[in-house]
Amino acid sequence: MVKSWATSPETLGVDLHIDVGGAGLRSGLMDALREAVRSGRLAPGVRLPSSRTLAQDLGIARNTVAEAYGELVAEGWLTARQGSGTRVAQRAAARQDRAHAHRPPARRSPAHNLLAGSPDLSSFPRAEWLKAARRALAAAPHEALGFGDPRGRIELRTVLADYLARARGVYASPDRIVICSGFVHGLMLMAGVLRARRVREAAVEAYGLDFHWNVLKGAGLRTPALPIDELGTRTQELGERKGVGAVLMTPAHQFPIGLPLLPDRRAAAVDWARSAGGLVLEDDYDGEFRYDRQPVGALQGLDPEHVVYLGTASKSLAPGLRLGWMVLPEHLVGEVAEGKGESDWMCGALDQLTLAEFIASGAYDRHVRGMRLRYRRRRDELVAALAEHAPHMAVTGLAAGLHAVLSLPPGVDERTVIQAANWRGLAIQGLGAFRHPDTAPGEWGGLVVGYGTPSDSAWAGTLEVLLQVLAAVEG
Amino acid sequence: MVKSWATSPETLGVDLHIDVGGAGLRSGLMDALREAVRSGRLAPGVRLPSSRTLAQDLGIARNTVAEAYGELVAEGWLTARQGSGTRVAQRAAARQDRAHAHRPPARRSPAHNLLAGSPDLSSFPRAEWLKAARRALAAAPHEALGFGDPRGRIELRTVLADYLARARGVYASPDRIVICSGFVHGLMLMAGVLRARRVREAAVEAYGLDFHWNVLKGAGLRTPALPIDELGTRTQELGERKGVGAVLMTPAHQFPIGLPLLPDRRAAAVDWARSAGGLVLEDDYDGEFRYDRQPVGALQGLDPEHVVYLGTASKSLAPGLRLGWMVLPEHLVGEVAEGKGESDWMCGALDQLTLAEFIASGAYDRHVRGMRLRYRRRRDELVAALAEHAPHMAVTGLAAGLHAVLSLPPGVDERTVIQAANWRGLAIQGLGAFRHPDTAPGEWGGLVVGYGTPSDSAWAGTLEVLLQVLAAVEG
């Protein structure tokens, strides 16, 4: 029961709302007094009525008021001095005007979304995930809920070692796996390792994600870019760059250009790492999704002591899980685990245990296979629709992943097309958005079509809008 | 079906195990070849049999072998050159001897555990948590599984704002809450803010956790220590230290000494922050557990624009959840969210949604109340047992939290007692383990008894061992 009471000017001079429901009486009075101070209705220095007076006013026991005053003195809201009574403390600030607050801009979702980088979130296997969570929690030892091993739960590292060896050709054992909260977290840990080794430069690819480069820059590394030609990233140039101690790459499916790294280039990367004592950081972001033949195995398998394999559940399940994994050269495991342990960057144990159960039960393979079919169907629909409605535009990067690159006709600026798309409510990016600052514009161009992003129900409509935009360009 | 076959010396010269289950034939052959290369059984440069020969050996189609070779060439395991046949690539490294690997030391659990810092993990409300997870996942919009707001899920920030205001007297709104993966993650984010502001020193308490201090040091801050007297941390000395721009404190229940910060000291901290433009970082690690009266409200309520409130689910639920929260001055929200977003340090969305549901449904309050009764009972049993069996030892820090401090008789070195405890399988620490390097030894001493750590079933036995250890000391 809530009772509103106005005290006389002689006492508080303010309206207070107080819950007089018995046991909550004292705390209700305290809440009301705190709020009055915060809002500025009770100014610093103001003398409060004696507990006897206020108790009479409120029709409650004097003791209740005295206790509330005592608590608020203990909390620092009020001061009580012999002879001067109970007053509002000087430091109990008036509330600031919240309208002036700095707030991050709200993120609004576009009507149609072909931005690359997200899987179809509507396909997350909620029921299967919950089943796995139930089994995992039933089986978990109590210590699993404690702080635990900085490398992550052994249950997850064990099933991942099997899975990655089987599905991705990774040379893995539970001992050399470290669980992290996603690719960027893994990259941060590696950036720390590189900094500790006094590496000054980590090469990156000429096209990629700037927030990945920024992680390396944040650790004080320079990030020169390796050019990309029609055979992929020019790893053979690594040997010519003396300051470089690591290279960050997407060998299975270059992001965003979509090319796989060809055998010679794979070899050149590993050769360089071996002769220069460098590290290859292999971002295997969508290695599970390859459509036309067996997935190309991970580069890491070629030389597990010079390649750090980084994978995540962000594309295969959902980014919101915040689960990733690193497979490390053995001599780096201790260093990375130590860096991770110090920073308290553990992923939640329950999600780790659930993913372990999800993989071990076969649900992960089933989900990946199902999604592969679904994305492949979309890819085929995209290709067919473009062949029919925009025959002059080539599509590349189709062999794998959740995105393709659409080349625009000569003379058409990708920014013009993106603007036209935005006007129709379609969010899409061009290759230019992914260009490294060292790279001259114009070598690569086109739209990055993230066909994995929409839900199944939104896909047809999204494709339709894309075709309208392209028709306007061609027209 | 798994078939083991030994090829003739003329072909591979090695035993390979291969799954000849039809569709898996090619991939089984590839796995076997990869493993043979990795293990060094197929040395770099070795020429492989022709696909025709190997196919005959294996009794499989030549095309299957040719495809497998082609894939392994694409992956860089093999090379194929006109006229030279298919060979093992030079860079396909032999496996290193794993016995030499650096591995983090295994963590073994003690037989009896009174180390402070962990709640009773056996009391984690597994069934209730799963129910909340089920409801949360059923209600979650698809976008909840995406990358999302760096501040964390709005559902959790909303219920936390209500809860913290109600239970801890925090001045909170969803807009100024940022979810993090635990206290240390929040502290790291704040250390980044302080560094960006060119703060050089962050004061800490004379007793505390060194891995907290290390987070601040890692950001380049010096960490001078404020002395602690019998009234708590001497915050009045903040004004005399000119370089200090922030102070890290445990006002509700000093860790590890166990004193609450008294009103004058609370006032002094806020006064300093206001006049010096500094920040108080309030570590409210166990604020929910107070036994003898209403919890002392958070310091943050006194001045939400100069105090950063840091709370976590690590003591109230389990550290393994890796969920914490910061309530920030409004002018810092954008900066912290930006720092967090760049670093990909999001907590898993599912755990956030589950905790939101857990709090909103009242399960969190019920759990905290239940645990409060349980810990209080243990505390009372500890006090009673000590009064009977070790009457010369004083226990302090009893009003709140999951640990108490046991003063040893004069002349008894805490390290001797800890060693004696360890010999009996009891893990326990002394105050000395928490002393800041700037602080002279001897001012505070005694054993830190983490009575919240054991399971209910282990508690009686653990207490018994503690009493035996103390009896030996007194004897």
Side-chain angles (χ1 to χ4, degrees), chain B residues 352-386:
Chain B
Q352 292 185 59
L353 294 170
T354 302
L355 180 58
E357 172 63 30
F358 195 79
I359 296 174
S361 70
Y364 189 80
D365 283 271
R366 281 196 301 279
H367 177 68
V368 167
R369 272 201 304 275
M371 293 310 293
R372 200 185 286 136
L373 288 174
R374 195 181 290 220
Y375 291 136
R376 184 188 179 140
R377 192 167 59 232
R378 291 192 196 175
R379 182 199 69 156
D380 293 346
E381 287 166 4
L382 173 70
V383 171
L386 290 170

Side-chain angles (χ1 to χ4, degrees), chain A residues 341-364:
Chain A
E342 288 241 334
S343 63
D344 195 32
W345 283 330
M346 268 181 47
C347 312
L350 300 187
D351 280 341
Q352 291 185 60
L353 294 170
T354 301
L355 180 58
E357 172 63 29
F358 196 78
I359 296 174
S361 70
Y364 189 80

Side-chain angles (χ1 to χ4, degrees), chain A residues 93-352:
Chain A
R95 182 196 296 196
Q96 290 197 351
D97 184 358
R98 291 178 48 197
H100 296 299
H102 174 105
R103 289 189 205 148
R107 303 190 178 198
R108 287 180 47 216
S109 299
H112 308 286
N113 192 343
L114 288 175
L115 298 175
S118 173
D120 171 1
L121 299 174
S122 72
S123 300
F124 183 79
R126 299 186 183 210
E128 286 289 329
W129 186 262
L130 264 175
K131 275 187 213 163
R134 176 174 299 280
R135 288 191 303 263
L137 203 46
H142 292 317
E143 54 88 14
L145 299 163
F147 282 99
D149 190 321
R151 290 176 297 179
R153 289 300 305 172
I154 182 63
E155 294 90 339
L156 179 55
R157 291 186 286 122
T158 303
V159 297
L160 272 176
D162 288 345
Y163 174 79
L164 293 173
R166 170 166 59 79
R168 301 294 301 123
V170 172
Y171 180 71
S173 69
D175 276 354
R176 52 165 80 208
I177 294 181
V178 171
I179 306 300
C180 49
S181 83
F183 174 80
V184 170
H185 180 199
L187 187 59
M188 291 188 67
L189 293 170
M190 288 314 304
V193 168
L194 296 174
R195 182 168 55 180
R197 294 173 154 213
R198 307 195 179 282
V199 169
R200 295 195 316 276
E201 295 189 357
V204 300
E205 296 174 304
Y207 287 77
L209 291 166
D210 60 356
F211 59 92
H212 292 180
W213 305 329
N214 289 340
V215 169
L216 297 167
K217 286 181 191 162
L221 296 155
R222 276 188 297 155
T223 58
L226 295 175
I228 300 175
D229 62 26
E230 67 287 351
L231 299 179
T233 303
R234 293 184 56 83
T235 50
Q236 60 270 47
E237 298 189 10
L238 279 166
E240 301 155 22
R241 297 167 184 250
K242 288 306 164 206
V244 170
V247 57
L248 171 63
M249 302 179 63
T250 48
H253 187 228
Q254 206 285 331
F255 188 87
I257 290 178
L259 296 170
L261 194 64
L262 294 182
D264 283 357
R265 303 279 170 97
R266 292 166 77 93
V270 170
D271 284 348
W272 164 80
R274 215 175 270 181
S275 64
L279 278 178
V280 178
L281 309 179
E282 178 177 21
D283 176 5
D284 194 40
Y285 66 105
D286 65 0
E288 270 115 345
F289 297 111
R290 189 160 184 99
Y291 306 119
D292 297 325
R293 51 173 189 157
Q294 285 276 95
V296 174
L299 186 63
Q300 187 265 5
L302 284 183
D303 192 338
E305 300 310 321
H306 289 95
V307 182
V308 175
Y309 175 90
L310 295 136
T312 110
S314 295
K315 301 292 182 292
S316 55
L317 282 165
L321 287 181
R322 298 288 74 212
L323 279 173
W325 40 86
M326 321 168 68
V327 187
L328 292 159
E330 294 222 12
H331 68 283
L332 288 181
V333 172
E335 198 174 336
V336 171
E338 205 174 310
K340 184 166 183 265
E342 288 241 334
S343 63
D344 195 32
W345 283 330
M346 268 181 47
C347 312
L350 300 187
D351 280 341
Q352 291 185 60

Side-chain angles (χ1 to χ4, degrees), chain B residues 7 116 184 200 207 230 237 240 356 373 379 382 413 437 456 458:
Chain B
T7 59
V184 170
R200 295 195 316 275
Y207 287 78
E230 68 288 349
E237 297 188 10
E240 301 154 22
L373 288 174
R379 182 199 69 156
L382 173 70
D413 186 330
D456 260 5

Side-chain angles (χ1 to χ4, degrees), chain A residues 41-102:
Chain A
R41 287 180 294 164
L42 283 176
V46 161
R47 181 173 181 159
L48 294 181
S50 70
S51 56
R52 179 200 304 264
T53 309
L54 185 56
Q56 283 175 346
D57 252 34
L58 299 177
I60 60 179
R62 182 181 170 185
N63 223 28
T64 304
V65 177
E67 282 174 13
Y69 277 12
E71 290 287 336
L72 292 169
V73 168
E75 293 180 8
W77 292 93
L78 308 178
T79 57
R81 299 219 190 274
Q82 201 67 32
S84 141
T86 304
R87 292 175 181 276
V88 176
Q90 289 297 337
R91 66 219 40 97
R95 182 196 296 196
Q96 290 197 351
D97 184 358
R98 291 178 48 197
H100 296 299
H102 174 105

Side-chain angles (χ1 to χ4, degrees), chain B residues 302-377:
Chain B
L302 284 182
D303 191 339
E305 300 311 321
H306 290 95
V307 182
V308 174
Y309 175 90
L310 296 135
T312 111
S314 295
K315 300 292 181 292
S316 55
L317 282 164
L321 287 180
R322 300 284 76 210
L323 279 173
W325 39 86
M326 322 168 69
V327 188
L328 292 159
E330 295 224 11
H331 69 282
L332 288 181
V333 172
E335 199 174 336
V336 171
E338 204 174 310
K340 184 165 182 267
E342 289 240 333
S343 63
D344 194 34
W345 281 331
M346 268 181 47
C347 312
L350 300 187
D351 280 342
Q352 292 185 59
L353 294 170
T354 302
L355 180 58
E357 172 63 30
F358 195 79
I359 296 174
S361 70
Y364 189 80
D365 283 271
R366 281 196 301 279
H367 177 68
V368 167
R369 272 201 304 275
M371 293 310 293
R372 200 185 286 136
L373 288 174
R374 195 181 290 220
Y375 291 136
R376 184 188 179 140
R377 192 167 59 232

Side-chain angles (χ1 to χ4, degrees), chain A residues 418-429:
Chain A
I418 290 162
Q419 183 61 263
N422 291 349
W423 285 333
R424 285 178 166 83
L426 172 63
I428 194 166
Q429 286 178 295

